Amino acid sequence: MEKLKKILRENYLRITEQIEKACERVGRSPSEVKLLGAAKKQVPEKVKILNELGLKLIGENYVQEAEKKQKVLKDLPIEWHCIGRLQTNKVKKALKLFHLIETLDRIELAQAIQKYAEKLNLTVPVFIEINIGKEETKAGVLPEALEDFLVELTKFDKIKIKGLMCLPPYSENPEETRPYFVKMRELFERVKPYMDEEFKELSMGTSGDFVVAIEEGATIVRIGEALFGKRE
Ligand SMILES: *Cc1c(COP(=O)(O)O)cnc(C)c1O
């Protein structure tokens, strides 16, 4: 237990320091970058320890796993984000579990969110997931389809679009990922003039490439194994 706390503290301090240094290098304020713990396949105990250390954002990929974890971690000051593919038949449950959905990627899902948000009398903050690498195996709106997608979304008054999210093609070398982060930033800047004030988040960067993501404009980095250790 004490050993686990020590490891997690070291991870947390190392990452927050890396975030600060990356910000410094490119003249950004560290307050512009939020750390999100990607907690899939990690035990709730680790989430609790990291939350006590100051981690406030937690991302979950699966509705069932989020539900199980939240039962154990009741009432902790955590903002829960859905960062995995969300099936329409799980939306009702998801809206009760998550404060924000980072993976809105299709109209069918927007329709389901709108429907249950009306029933629950909620406004749902979302990010649009972009398939920035145009990978067949990945979810997300294609970059060239984003503008039309945003126009279609204007009819869903219970959905509040707060930013963009992506998971670029994996590479061992973060420099190979940099061009995708640059493209995300350009896409973000291109649509921003048409969006509300609240459109300001760019969720990108994971354990292997978050430093590069911050250099290119990330406002949220989603870190799993570098923070929690290896997944179960
Ligand atoms: C797992 C996951 C992460 C974190 O990945 P790590 O390589 O463990 O840092 C971030 N975003 C999404 C969508 C994920 O599924």
Side-chain angles (χ1 to χ4, degrees):
M1 189 55 222
E2 284 311 310
K3 194 174 159 210
L4 178 61
K5 273 192 189 169
K6 185 165 172 285
I7 291 168
L8 292 177
R9 161 180 261 117
E10 281 169 6
N11 289 349
Y12 183 71
L13 292 179
R14 177 172 14 86
I15 288 166
T16 47
E17 191 182 308
Q18 284 174 307
I19 291 173
E20 279 167 28
K21 289 229 168 93
C23 285
E24 224 169 85
R25 249 193 324 276
V26 292
R28 300 182 64 193
S29 160
S31 66
E32 290 173 35
V33 180
K34 291 184 282 271
L35 172 59
L36 176 143
K40 62 172 178 277
K41 298 179 184 158
Q42 302 285 358
V43 294
E45 188 58 34
K46 289 185 180 178
V47 174
K48 183 163 184 282
I49 293 169
L50 283 161
N51 180 242
E52 280 162 6
L53 289 167
L55 182 68
K56 296 289 180 243
L57 298 186
I58 293 292
E60 290 288 352
N61 291 64
Y62 310 104
V63 169
Q64 261 187 333
E65 188 179 339
E67 192 178 27
K68 254 173 88 180
K69 237 171 258 179
Q70 288 188 19
K71 268 192 191 133
V72 188
L73 300 173
K74 250 202 280 303
D75 301 326
L76 290 188
I78 290 174
E79 183 179 314
W80 297 89
H81 287 203
C82 173
I83 63 170
R85 183 172 170 85
L86 184 55
Q87 291 169 269
T88 50
N89 64 358
K90 301 239 168 88
V91 166
K92 189 179 173 191
K93 197 166 262 181
L95 294 192
K96 294 179 179 166
L97 294 169
F98 296 111
H99 298 98
L100 191 150
I101 312 275
E102 293 205 12
T103 50
L104 176 55
D105 63 345
R106 56 203 194 278
I107 290 300
E108 185 199 22
L109 181 57
Q111 282 165 339
I113 293 172
Q114 172 75 19
K115 177 175 151 193
Y116 289 108
E118 280 173 8
K119 284 193 179 153
L120 299 166
N121 197 24
L122 293 172
T123 300
V124 183
V126 305
F127 299 163
I128 312 293
E129 180 173 5
I130 307 292
N131 186 352
I132 197 67
K134 304 187 183 188
E135 294 170 279
E136 268 175 34
T137 54
K138 274 208 187 124
V141 177
L142 290 173
E144 61 270 26
L146 177 61
E147 286 173 66
D148 286 345
F149 189 66
L150 290 171
V151 170
E152 280 194 81
L153 288 181
T154 54
K155 65 171 175 269
F156 301 107
D157 64 345
K158 295 294 193 184
I159 295 177
K160 188 109 243 156
I161 305 162
K162 295 213 158 185
L164 303 179
M165 175 270 207
C166 76
L167 190 64
Y170 179 77
S171 167
E172 289 278 322
N173 176 3
E175 284 307 325
E176 284 176 15
T177 315
R178 189 186 294 274
Y180 294 108
F181 294 141
V182 171
K183 276 191 192 144
M184 280 296 285
R185 172 65 184 273
E186 287 168 356
L187 195 58
F188 178 84
E189 297 294 345
R190 174 138 41 95
V191 298
K192 191 166 169 38
Y194 310 106
M195 306 298 288
D196 291 347
E197 269 299 291
E198 287 154 276
F199 182 81
K200 46 184 161 200
E201 307 290 357
L202 201 43
S203 174
M204 58 187 192
T206 59
S207 290
D209 55 23
F210 70 93
V211 165
V212 172
I214 291 169
E215 288 170 358
E216 301 304 339
T219 66
I220 296 182
V221 290
R222 307 181 312 269
I223 302 186
E225 292 196 321
L227 188 55
F228 292 94
K230 279 251 174 284
R231 286 185 268 278
E232 307 276 300

